[in-house]
């Protein structure tokens, strides 16, 4: 499947962040849907199921954590891949994200030009059937990092 056939839902309470993601993803051939908060995201998912969700954590009313939990609790949405995009860098946040089934965790600020490649990598992994193994490996590494005493993770 080509990226032009893939729908990405960008969920962030900052319009500038949604625009930044949309411009870069559309340039790479993705169809982009937007939601300004968790409530809008859950409604959008029901009407136009995305292939992947870019999800901010810290939003008013319904947080990204709550959106991910709601999706995980519903068998019709529990396999939609989520990439969290957030300013939160604590190891416990990373662990929580991957326990909620996140496929990737991107910390702000990030290079918007690399976003399409990250999404493509995640979707290709899923297409190859590597989703669960990769998630288990990532979670194990994060828990080992936590036991080692690190409080925050920095992107490589």
């Amino acid at each position: 499947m080509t990226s032009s056939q893939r729908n990405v839902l960008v969920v962030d309470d900052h319009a500038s962040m949604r625009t930044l993601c949309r411009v870069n993803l559309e340039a790479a051939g993705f169809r982009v849907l937007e939601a300004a908060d968790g409530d809008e995201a859950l409604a959008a998912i029901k009407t136009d199921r995305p292939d992947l969700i870019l999800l901010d954590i810290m939003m008013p009313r319904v947080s990204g954590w709550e959106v991910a939990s709601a999706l995980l609790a519903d068998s019709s949405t529990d396999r939609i891949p989520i990439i969290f995009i957030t300013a939160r860098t604590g190891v416990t946040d990373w662990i929580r994200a991957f326990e909620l089934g996140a496929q990737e965790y991107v910390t702000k600020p990030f290079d918007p030009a690399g976003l399409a490649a990250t999404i493509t990598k995640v979707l290709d992994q899923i297409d190859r059937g590597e989703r669960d193994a990769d998630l288990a490996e990532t979670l194990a590494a994060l828990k080992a990092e936590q036991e080692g005493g690190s409080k925050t993770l920095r992107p490589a």
Side-chain angles (χ1 to χ4, degrees):
M1 197 178 278
T2 66
S3 62
S4 63
Q5 298 170 311
R6 302 287 188 141
N7 297 322
V8 177
L9 175 61
V10 178
V11 185
D12 197 297
D13 56 320
H14 295 101
S16 59
M17 181 59 67
R18 292 192 311 274
T19 299
L20 180 69
C21 292
R22 180 176 39 78
V23 167
N24 283 278
L25 295 176
E26 286 178 347
F30 289 96
R31 178 173 173 254
V32 179
L33 312 167
E34 294 183 32
D37 60 40
D39 287 329
E40 281 186 23
L42 292 170
I45 291 162
K46 286 181 184 176
T47 60
D48 195 359
R49 183 187 169 104
D51 295 302
L52 184 137
I53 301 169
L54 292 177
L55 184 59
D56 186 21
I57 293 173
M58 298 180 292
M59 296 182 291
R61 293 182 300 280
V62 179
S63 73
W65 298 131
E66 293 168 301
V67 171
S69 293
L71 296 175
L72 192 59
D74 184 337
S75 63
S76 70
T77 58
D78 65 347
R79 301 296 288 175
I80 299 173
I82 296 171
I83 297 176
F84 281 104
I85 297 182
T86 182
R88 299 178 70 105
T89 60
V91 174
T92 55
D93 294 315
W94 286 66
I95 290 171
R96 184 174 181 188
F98 286 103
E99 285 177 340
L100 287 169
Q103 293 304 122
E104 192 62 66
Y105 193 97
V106 177
T107 55
K108 297 176 185 175
F110 61 92
D111 177 8
L115 198 53
T118 300
I119 291 170
T120 300
K121 180 190 86 165
V122 166
L123 292 172
D124 287 350
Q125 254 177 346
I126 292 168
D127 289 346
R128 290 190 309 266
E130 299 170 1
R131 174 186 183 138
D132 295 332
D134 187 62
L135 178 59
E137 182 180 315
T138 301
L139 202 47
L142 287 170
K143 287 184 177 182
E145 179 81 19
Q146 184 181 38
E147 290 172 9
S150 176
K151 298 290 185 225
T152 62
L153 293 177
R154 299 195 197 311

